[in-house]
Structures are given as C-alpha cells and as structure tokens.
C-alpha cells in the first residue's frame, strides 16, 4: 500500500474544508476502502478520518426515521426504532457481509462501497471504472455476477450493497453536506448507471459528505421481506436479491415497494411492477405477473443470463414472504 | 456510543513548519484540525529528496491499550492493526488468513466489539482498547469459551481458532447465540477450512447454556 | 467419572481432547511465520501479468529506491540455485519443477518474477507494487475444454483393460455421461509461509509450512547442494494444508535465495491470491463414464476416461480413473487417463485427490443407473459388492462397508427417501436424499520414533512428522498410553522438526498407520528394556519410575524403526466410506441447503475418537464445498484467475453446515498394523460430492454433472 497523509479534522466543517482536494478520500469503517488500497485500486494521497463526527444517531423526525451516516451497520440492524418502523432495512443489513464487518461498516460507507467486479479489483485487467478508457473485462468475460439492467458497453458492474437495496425500496432520502450547505437526494437517484462514465458510482460531487439518510414513515412494517440468493448461505454477495414491502388491507395491496440487488450498477427499483400490484389481491399469481413485468429490458451477457430466470423467481418469492404466503 | 471527548489524536507536533501546512491550517476554519503526517516527510517527497530519508519521518505515534497494557507505538498510517499486533507486538495469536476481511481469522475486540483487524488501520485505533486471543484467559485460567473449544474439539489445525473464539465470545455477548441456527449465521464471518463448524456451534451452545459470564 | 464413549458415533465432547488444544485456543501455538528471528526482513513476491512468453526487460529502480527496500531479486540478478543447473552428464529432462528466477520464461500467469525484500512488511509490499516488467507475449492456453484434443497419456498409453473393452455397450441397462470437476484450491487458512535464515554459507534454518520436514530438508539440501544435516526445517504447527504443502514450492526457494542476497533472515508469506497460483490445486478434470448392467443390477462393464489439466512444465497425475477398477465387482473395465498441458501452475494432491474426482463421476453414474433400474442405490451397490479386490484378486485385509451402508442409512433416515425425484416438497423446498461411497488405499510406511522415559514418569515421544491438523500427536499419545499403561497426560509428543527421527510426509491418510506403528513398536521395545532390567518378563506394566531409580538411571530410551512386513503382498488394504445426505432444494431459486449428513468410515480401529470424529466431519464439509461452491475460475482470454480471494472463491461457512453424524464401523483391520487402524483423511471426503449431487437429483429431478452445483445450474 502506498503511503498517505492521515488527517483527522475536528469538525464536520473542517472535514468539508479538506475533502475537495484531488487525491483525498474519506475513511469511516474502511471495510471497502482499505481493501481497495491494499490492492492498489484506490491510491489516496490523503485519508480523512471522520469517525469522530457526531453522525451516529438514529432518531425519529416529523416525517420519518433519520439515521446518521456514521451509524454502524450492526447498530442499525439491531436498533429498536429500525426494527419497529423499518424492518426491511434491518433484514437487508443482516443479510450483508459478516458480523465483524457490520461492526465496522457505516451507513454512509455502505452507500459509497464500490463494485466487487473481479476486473475492477485486478489492476492488471481492463476496467473502465478503475481506468477510464481501458475497456471492460466483464462485458465479454466471466460476468456471472454482473448486471442485467442498465449496463453499458463500458461497464456491467453491479453495486454490491444489500442495505442500499432496501433504502431504495423504502423511498429514503440521502442528506448530503457540502460547502454550500445541505442538499437532499432521493435514494434511487443517488447511485448512477454507468453510461459512458462508469468511474462515477454516484451523484456525490467533490467536497461533499453524506451525513445521513432519512426514511419516510410507511405502512410496510408488517409485510416486508429481504430475500438474498447467493452461492452460500451467508457471507457472500448476492446473485440476486429483492427487497419487497407491501401495504395490505383486507387482502388487497394498497402500496408496494420493490427493489433488486445484484442486477444493476445501482439498487434497481421496480416501479412498473410496484404499480401493477396496487389494488390487487396479494396472491402468488399476481406476484408472478409483477415479477415478469419487472424483467422488461433485462439483458443477459452470457454467464449471467441465468439471472433473467432467477430474477423474477426471486421477486415472486420475496413478495410471497412479504405477504406471509410462505 | 463512543464519547467524542475521549478521542484524542496523536499529540504530535511537527518539527518543521512550511507554507503548505500553514495554508492548510488557514483554509480549514478550525485551528484544532491536525495534519498528522510530519510535514518533513511530505516535503521531502514533494522535493524528490531520496525517499529513504523521507521514510524516517513517515511514522506516527499510536497509543492504544492491548490486553490491558498501554502501548506507545510508532506506526506508518498504512499499517493495519493486524500487522501491528503480529509484527510489532509479537501477538501472533491473531491470524492473517486473507488480509481482506474475507475470512475472520484476524478477529479481535475493539472496545468490546468484534472487528476484522486486517481492514483496520492501526492509526485509527488511537485511544482504543484492543483484546486479542492472548488477552482472553485470566492467567492460567482459560476463558470458558477456550475450555469449551477444547472440550468440543472446535478446531483441527488451529489457525482460524483465535478468530473463531473471539467471534464466539462476541456472539454470546451480542445476544446472538439464541439457537443453533442463529449461532451458525452469526459465526459465518469466520471461515474454518478444516470444517469444525458443528463442534464450534456445540462449544458456543455449551457456554451459552452454562450461563457463565463471558 | 469416566464417560462411556460410543465409538460408533462419538459426540463432539467424547474422548481425550487434543494434546495441543491449550496452545491452539490461547494463540500460543506458533505457525511458520510467527517466529521471532533476529534481523528479520520481509519478502513479497511479484507475479507475472502475462500467461506465456518471456520477460524482455524489468524496471526495478523505483522499488529499489523505495524506503526500506533492501533488495529486488529477479532472474537478472539472483544467485544461481545449484540444483537448478543442468547436469552435463545427463540428458536435460524435458519437464521438471519450476526454476524460480532461473531464466526469463513465463509459463503461467502469476508466476513469480521478482522478490522484493524490505525491513518491514508494508515497505516490501509497496516495493513489490513498483516492480514493472516488459514482456514478449506468446499465445497461451488455459482452457482444458478447448485443448482436450491435445491430451496425452502421462505413462505408456494411459490405458487399462480388464475383460472385454466397452462391454457396457451390450448391456440392457446403461448410462453414459460426462462429468466435470472444476479446479478446487486447497486454501488452508494459514497462508503458506517460510522464514529462511542462513546460519553459515552451507548451513540453513527454515521455519516452513510443510507436510514433511524431512522431505523439505532433502529438497533444500539437494537444491542448494549443502549437506542434509546442515538444513534444519521446523514446522511445529501447520495451519491446514490438505495437500498443498506436500512438496517444496518455488516461493520456498525464493525466500532462501533472498536470505542469501540480503544476508539476513527473510520471511515470506504468500498472499491469499498467491495461494491460487503458487501451491497447487485440484485440477480441472473432464470425465466420461459409461456403465452397463443387467436388469437385476449386476454391473457388466465400466468404461471410464479422464482428462486432467497439468502445467506446461510438469506432469501431475492422480488416481482419477482408478476408482472404476476396484470399487465394485465388475468383470469388464477399461479406463483411459490423459493429461492436458496448459499455461497454469502445476496441480497437486488435494484431499481425497484423484479418487474424489473419479468418485464424483462413478458414484453419480451409478446413481443415474439406479433410477433406470428402479433400484435403491444402496441395493445396487450391494449387488455389486466386491468381496475380493477385483483388480488384483487379493482378499481384503478388512472390509465392513456393508455395515457402513446400514449404519448410514439408519442415521439419515433412508427409508424416508422416495425413489421418484421431486416427490417431496415442504414449504417451497424439495427434499431429497443421496448417497455416495469412497475408497482409498490404506498404507503403512516406515517411520522411526524415539521414546524416552524420564525419572519424573514422563514419556517423551519424538518423531519428525508434521501435524497439519488431524490430531496426530493426540493419536500417538493414546497409542503410547495404552501400550505403556500410563496416563496420557504423562506423555509428551514432539514433532515437526527435521532433526527428530525420520517420519514420512503427512499425506495419503498414512500417518496414524505409519507413525502410530512406530510409536507402538518403540513403546514395546522400551517396555522390554524395562522388563529386562527388572528381570521379570511377566510384569506387564512395571513402575517405570521405580525401576529407573533402582538402577540409578536418569532415563531410559529407545529409537525404533518400524516397517510393515509382507502383508501387502497377500492382502488388498483399503479404507472405505459412505456418505448420506439430505438436501433441501428451493423450488423457486435453485438454492441447495444441506439439511442432514451421516458419514460413515470403515477405517479400522478408531484410535482417538474425538479427533477422528472431527476429521470425518471436516472431510464431509470439504466435500460439501467441492459439491456446492468451490471453483477457481480463469478468464481464459487473459489466463488469469478472476476469483482468487475468499470473497469470490466460496468455501462453506458455518451457516452452510448442519450437525453432521460421524459414524465408525470401528472394527480393527487384523493385518495392516498393530493398532488395526486404517486411514481416514481421504475417505472422509471421497464420495461426498456425488452424495450431494445425487441428493439434489432425488430432491428436484435436476441432475448436475458439472461441479459446483450453484443455484444457476439447478435452475437451468
């Protein structure tokens, strides 16, 4: 690992003052960044430690639940307010990584984690995300773990987070601090599709800091489920995952939220499928129809083409669990 | 939750001032912001002075408590807690199995919480309390989890064992040892290639059911 | 109170605990990289980024100038390793071990091209990242499937025939199928590591991860042309190996060369990524197997061919097709074994080695046949039960496999199995049962043990053998305790150092048999020596301390070499296993969960029930990994592994594994050795992958013939 300058500015303002310099990276839990630095994928000159900033609180606001960017994944997953109000988030968090990593990883860091694409990680391989213009190793390569939605010829990497899939489904907002003050972004718009600039994972601009997320209140807590399909039962990234949340009254779906992981460069919200469920009975048939609708526009690249079949199967299964049909 | 007051950065005073540092301090609105890398090193690097000279200045002081003992160290910011434990403190009970947070062999407790020491920069442990496998027993008296691992043969080669035991203790403390199934899930961050998993689960169940303080 | 142990099914707390347990649970057990050596430096290897070709130039300047870097060793400046140099009196061998830093040739991706040595690990690692090479790239081939036409027999014509060739074709019931076992990487938890220190120009000490300190000692002495007794190899604790430390690898030579260059001790620890390219693997193997049977399930012919991958510089062979020769009674068998030379590192034996690969094909194909015959898979095997070795015609020294079938079937609840696939579904999961068997030769090699009785009543056993985890020391202590009639806690076992008496490699399931016999014989001889002193041969267990004191002796010792006799001439000796599995297969997602396992070993007398149980459980889990998730994947365009880490190369985690019943027939083999104990390590894994695949078929009707059985393949 390259040497770097280690900084620990005392306040959020002091952090904002230093992070807009090129070659500067923020470190919180470090579970992804240190890994990337060890592999020479990330080579910061300056590392800004923000762990001491007061951004760990989980609180109820007028409109929802606020979670500080530095709240640990483990803490959020065990928090009573989260369990009561947003169980889908807790389920997704518990499906990710390992207990040790969840004790280190923060909510903000989880959002900022980079793809696990093997070509991205190996500095001898072509990767447009790591070195723009170098090509995409996965496009015609071993792309079993890769995207079926929203990919480009430049990049078919997927975002690896479970937490983010649930936050996308739950209409969360990202709260971002910058030199000019705070701004809010719908969670579904925070991460980007690769297009011609796969090196950019999200909408955060230089000098900005995620300070928290806010999840609006909803009626999903009774009928939520996070289903993650992976190559082993735990401690593995998703082949496909689905966050499903239903608001059911008298057997009829009032509202539905669906998002997928392991299928796109960002948590993949399934708006059409959600709409198709509204006003319908919570039945297996309806779930399967919605799942098929969700797959419109999906594209396989060879090794990952199984996701075209696994995807809808997982959506339907997750909805069944959410509705209590399993 | 960690108290901010208790958080102290390494109290290093750079021995040379230069304009880049002054600028930096001026730009940051708070003078308490500390640039922790001695500027001489950076300056030498910038000026392409022989790196070997610069290297002398690339270390930072690190104070942490390891197994109840205060350690005053001098480390490069890039040194991981794992490498500091193994190579500087000769606490080789904490193992390196993957070096990338993918196996759990390096599991230690930081302020009572289990973490992967391979993905933890040592410099970020300033002021923290670290417990490694060497700090678990009380003198000659093994920790109940260590006893249970022996009794249930929760290992073969023994290499993942320190990490498994640190995780197992945390698993019970966290309240995640309620059932076999829960233990399996919450012990899945520790890979055992010899395949001692069922024995590990049995050891944890015994300690949990025994009701001893862990 | 002494608890009565059911040796047929010990629980995890039954029997004597490991003698090194305390060291292992306190972190005090020291593995190769953990010794404090004065003046220690750190070495990090740089791997090639091409797959075939030559290095045209190297830029090591930046690395050499990096802080703390002491040396950058490459083929351009490395001192010549004497053992690498051609012997002018002999024709140059066409193939041979990789000669690290000897020339500019690159034959696989990740091949070490430089060793960067620095005063700290961090600096060596950073220095290594600065080494750059220019190459002349040549076309490479890393795909066995694409070059199967270039297969060749490693020995002779690679053919075996008994009876009529391809007799299966004439049978009324037949199965002909292809099976693929993907590359598996041993991936022991401990990274391969060595500390090398030159004590003089011709004297060397290494702390090294090896399954055989004597073999490493000999290899190193030969390579560096120094006297064998001037090489001290220490390997007190080995953090697993499963075969990966059965030979001396290039990185070990590199560290020794590096220590010579910097004139200081060098510690070299492989990275997890290096573990995929530098210390062998179970080779990707394509197999085709055809079995014919009569309507009542009698096998009439087996034809089995296998193509296994090897490197461009060495032929690695294993017993893949051998399983078809002698597992079942079948009059007509013909096999073909070919290698395919690729731009990859050389494979090596991985637990169960070729027999595990072969058994996946044979035991899967038999399962397929059982459905055609509408015959219970156990019944099919019983109808072809070999009472004598079908290959040699010799009687078995012992075989109680039929009892093992019964034990396993009872424990898994085989009677709940439905012959119709997909017949049982519960809460969205198909439920199915499968079984698969394994066999492996049971061996006994020569070994020497020194046994010393001290005046404080302690017995010290010394032998060079490595203990990579099975609990060798524990078993040896139990053998000695029984023979000497003293408590086990009075016995110390010292091992893993090359200046101790000779012992074979820990491999091939032979240690308990070989070294255990030597312990047994040494104790017998020591006891005789005591009895001579007493002058009363009838005293079965004399008071050793008293006798020493009476004769004013500080100790009494023997060094005993133990060899088997000619029993192998008369008997076919094998260990046997059968694995039973119940799986759940998710009807929607294709996810497979192992729900219950019963693994039964017919491995003679069980010396150490607790560690034996763990060994069988561990083998079963290794087999589950092979079956469900393990696969080292190369992107053949680049010839480079793309999942060379523990996040992407999946091995089972705790959540994958239920309680596993480890069962033992526990009947001594009367011929193999004084304990009647046969080997266990290999059979604990052999047959497991097929048992899982067969259970998946029984559950879901989906037959997967290419491992690993990941959800995508079950869904397809």
């Amino acid at each position: 690992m390259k040497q770097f300058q280690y900084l620990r500015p005392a306040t959020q303002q002091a952090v904002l003052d230093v992070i807009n310099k090129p070659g500067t990276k923020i470190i919180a839990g470090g579970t992804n960044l240190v890994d990337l630095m060890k592999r020479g994928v990330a080579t910061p000159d300056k590392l800004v430690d923000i762990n001491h900033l007061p951004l760990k609180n989980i609180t109820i606001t007028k409109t929802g639940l606020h979670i500080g960017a530095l709240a640990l994944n483990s803490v959020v997953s065990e928090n009573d307010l989260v369990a009561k109000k947003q169980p889908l988030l807790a389920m997704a968090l518990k499906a990710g990584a390992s207990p040790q990593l969840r004790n280190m990883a923060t909510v903000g860091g989880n959002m900022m984690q980079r793809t696990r694409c093997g070509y991205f990680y190996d500095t001898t391989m072509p990767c447009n995300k790591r070195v723009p213009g170098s090509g995409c190793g996965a496009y015609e390569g071993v792309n079993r773990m890769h995207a079926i939605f929203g990919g480009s010829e430049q990049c078919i990497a997927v975002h690896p987070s479970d937490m983010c899939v649930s936050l996308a489904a739950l209409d969360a907002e990202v709260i971002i601090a910058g030199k000019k003050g705070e701004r809010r972004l719908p969670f579904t718009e925070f991460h980007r599709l690769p297009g011609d600039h796969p090196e950019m994972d999200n909408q955060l601009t230089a000098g900005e800091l995620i300070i928290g997320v806010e999840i609006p209140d909803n009626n999903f807590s009774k009928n939520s489920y996070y289903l993650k399909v992976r190559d082993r039962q735990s401690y593995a990234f998703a082949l496909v995952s689905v966050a499903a949340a239903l608001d059911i009254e008298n057997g009829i779906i009032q509202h539905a939220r669906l998002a997928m992981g392991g299928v796109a460069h960002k948590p993949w919200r399934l708006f059409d499928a959600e709409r198709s469920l509204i006003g319908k009975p919570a039945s297996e048939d309806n779930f399967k129809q919605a799942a098929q609708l969700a797959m419109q526009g999906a594209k396989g690249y060879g090794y990952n083409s199984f996701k075209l079949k696994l995807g809808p199967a997982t959506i339907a299964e997750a909805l069944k669990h959410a509705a209590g049909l399993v | 939750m960690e108290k901010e007051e208790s958080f102290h950065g390494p109290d290093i005073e750079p021995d040379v001032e230069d304009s880049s540092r002054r600028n930096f301090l001026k730009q940051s609105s708070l003078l308490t912001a500390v640039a922790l890398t001695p500027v001489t090193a950076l300056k030498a690097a910038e000026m392409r002075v022989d790196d070997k000279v610069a290297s002398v200045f690339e270390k930072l002081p690190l104070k942490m408590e390891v197994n109840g003992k205060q350690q005053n160290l001098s480390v490069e910011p890039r040194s991981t807690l794992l490498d500091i434990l193994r190579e500087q403190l000769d606490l080789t009970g904490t193992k390196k199995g993957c070096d990338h947070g993918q196996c759990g062999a390096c599991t230690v407790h930081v302020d009572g919480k289990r973490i992967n020491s391979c993905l933890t920069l040592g410099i970020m442990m300033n002021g923290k309390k670290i417990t490694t496998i060497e700090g678990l027993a009380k003198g000659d008296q093994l920790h109940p989890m260590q006893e249970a691992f022996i009794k249930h043969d929760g290992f073969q080669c023994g290499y993942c064992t320190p990490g498994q035991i640190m995780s197992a203790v945390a698993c019970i403390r966290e309240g995640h040892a309620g059932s076999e199934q829960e233990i399996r899930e919450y012990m899945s961050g520790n890979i055992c290639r010899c395949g001692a998993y069922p024995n590990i689960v049995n050891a944890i169940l015994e300690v949990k059911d025994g009701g001893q303080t862990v | 109170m002494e608890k009565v142990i059911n040796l047929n099914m010990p629980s995890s707390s039954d029997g004597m605990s490991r003698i090194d347990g305390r060291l292992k649970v306190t972190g005090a057990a020291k593995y190769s990289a953990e010794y404090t050596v004065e003046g220690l430096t750190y070495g990090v290897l740089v791997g090639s980024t091409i797959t075939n070709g030559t290095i045209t130039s190297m830029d090591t300047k930046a690395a050499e100038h990096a802080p703390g870097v002491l040396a950058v060793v490459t083929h351009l400046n490395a001192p010549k390793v004497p053992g690498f140099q051609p012997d002018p009196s002999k024709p140059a061998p066409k193939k041979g071990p990789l000669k690290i830093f000897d020339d500019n040739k690159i034959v696989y991706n990740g091949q070490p091209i430089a060793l960067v040595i620095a005063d700290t690990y961090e600096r060596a690692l950073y220095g290594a990242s600065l080494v750059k090479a220019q190459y002349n790239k040549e076309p490479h081939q890393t795909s066995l499937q694409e070059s199967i036409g270039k297969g060749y027999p490693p020995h002779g014509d690679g053919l075996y025939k008994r009876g009529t060739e391809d007799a299966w074709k004439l049978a009324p019931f037949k199965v002909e199928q292809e099976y693929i076992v993907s590359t598996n990487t041993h991936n022991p938890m401990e990274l391969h590591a060595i500390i090398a220190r030159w004590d003089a120009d011709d004297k060397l000490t290494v702390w090294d991860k090896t399954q055989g300190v004597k073999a490493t000692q000999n290899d190193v002495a030969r390579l560096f042309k120094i006297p064998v007794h001037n090489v001290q190899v220490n390997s007190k604790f080995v953090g697993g190996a499963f075969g990966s430390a059965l030979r001396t690898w290039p990185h070990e030579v590199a560290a020794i060369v590096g220590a010579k260059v910097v004139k200081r001790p060098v510690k070299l620890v492989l990275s997890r990524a290096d573990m995929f390219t530098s210390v062998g693997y179970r080779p990707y193997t394509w197999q085709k197997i055809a079995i014919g049977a009569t309507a009542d399930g009698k096998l009439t012919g087996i034809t089995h061919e296998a193509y296994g991958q090897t490197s461009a510089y060495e032929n690695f062979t294993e017993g893949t097709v051998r399983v078809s020769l002698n597992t079942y009674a079948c009059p007509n068998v013909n096999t073909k074994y070919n290698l395919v030379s690729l731009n990859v590192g050389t494979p090596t034996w991985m637990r169960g080695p070729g027999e595990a690969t072969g058994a996946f094909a044979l035991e899967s194909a038999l399962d397929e046949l059982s459905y055609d015959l509408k015959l219970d898979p156990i019944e099919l095997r019983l109808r072809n039960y070999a009472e004598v070795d079908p290959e040699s015609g010799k009687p078995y020294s012992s075989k109680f496999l039929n009892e093992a079938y019964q034990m396993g079937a009872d424990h898994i609840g085989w009677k709940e199995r439905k012959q119709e696939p997909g017949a049982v579904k519960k809460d969205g999961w198909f439920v199915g049962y499968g079984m698969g068997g394994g066999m492996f030769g049971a061996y006994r090699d020569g070994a020497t043990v020194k046994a010393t009785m001290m005046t404080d009543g302690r017995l010290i056993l010394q032998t060079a053998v490595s203990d990579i985890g099975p609990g060798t020391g524990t078993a040896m202590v139990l053998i000695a305790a029984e023979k000497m009639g003293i408590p086990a806690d009075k016995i110390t076992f010292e091992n893993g150092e090359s200046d101790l008496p000779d012992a074979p490699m820990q491999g091939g399931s032979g240690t308990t048999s070989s070294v255990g016999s030597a312990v047994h014989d040494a104790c017998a001889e020591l006891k005789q020596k005591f009895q001579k002193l007493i002058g009363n041969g009838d005293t079965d267990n004399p008071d050793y301390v008293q006798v020493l004191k009476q004769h004013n002796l500080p100790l009494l010792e023997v060094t005993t070499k133990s060899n088997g006799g000619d029993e192998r001439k008369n008997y076919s000796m094998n260990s046997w296993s059968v694995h039973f599995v119940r799986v759940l297969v998710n009807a929607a997602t294709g996810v497979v969960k192992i729900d219950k396992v019963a693994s039964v070993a017919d491995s003679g007398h069980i010396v150490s029930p607790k560690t034996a149980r763990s060994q069988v459980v561990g083998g079963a889990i290794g087999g589950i990994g092979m079956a469900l998730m393990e696969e080292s994947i190369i992107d053949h365009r680049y010839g480079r592994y793309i999942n060379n880490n523990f996040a992407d190369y999946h091995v089972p985690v705790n959540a994958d594994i239920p309680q596993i019943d480890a069962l033992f027939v526990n009947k001594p083999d009367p011929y193999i050795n004084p304990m009647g104990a046969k080997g266990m390590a290999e059979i604990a894994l052999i047959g497991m992958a097929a048992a899982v695949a067969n259970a998946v078929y029984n559950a879901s009707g989906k037959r997967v013939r290419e491992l690993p059985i990941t959800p995508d393949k079950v869904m397809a």
Side-chain angles (χ1 to χ4, degrees), chain B residues 82 85 94-99 101 103-108 115-119 163 190:
Chain B
L82 173 62
L85 290 171
T94 305
K95 303 301 185 193
K96 184 181 282 191
C98 72
D99 214 18
C103 80
C106 67
T107 303
V108 300
I115 58 104
N116 296 112
S117 62
C118 73
L119 290 182
N190 292 80

Side-chain angles (χ1 to χ4, degrees), chain A residues 208-268:
Chain A
E208 287 188 315
L209 173 72
I210 301 168
I211 56 172
V213 293
E214 198 166 302
I215 311 170
D217 289 334
N218 58 49
N219 285 323
F220 297 131
S221 58
K222 270 187 293 184
N223 294 104
S224 295
Y225 200 76
Y226 189 76
L227 180 59
K228 184 176 182 182
V229 179
R230 40 188 160 173
D231 285 327
R232 63 183 175 195
Q233 296 299 308
S234 186
Y235 205 10
F237 292 98
L239 294 169
V240 166
S241 68
V242 173
L246 297 170
D247 175 0
I248 304 172
E249 266 178 42
N250 302 320
I252 303 298
I253 299 165
Q254 309 297 314
H255 300 282
R257 296 289 182 275
L258 279 170
M260 285 178 96
V263 295
H265 199 254
K266 59 188 285 187
W268 194 251

Side-chain angles (χ1 to χ4, degrees), chain B residues 29-47:
Chain B
S29 54
L30 269 150
L31 287 170
T32 45
V34 188
L36 292 162
T37 300
V39 284
T40 39
L42 297 169
K43 195 179 171 190
E46 278 162 22
M47 294 173 71

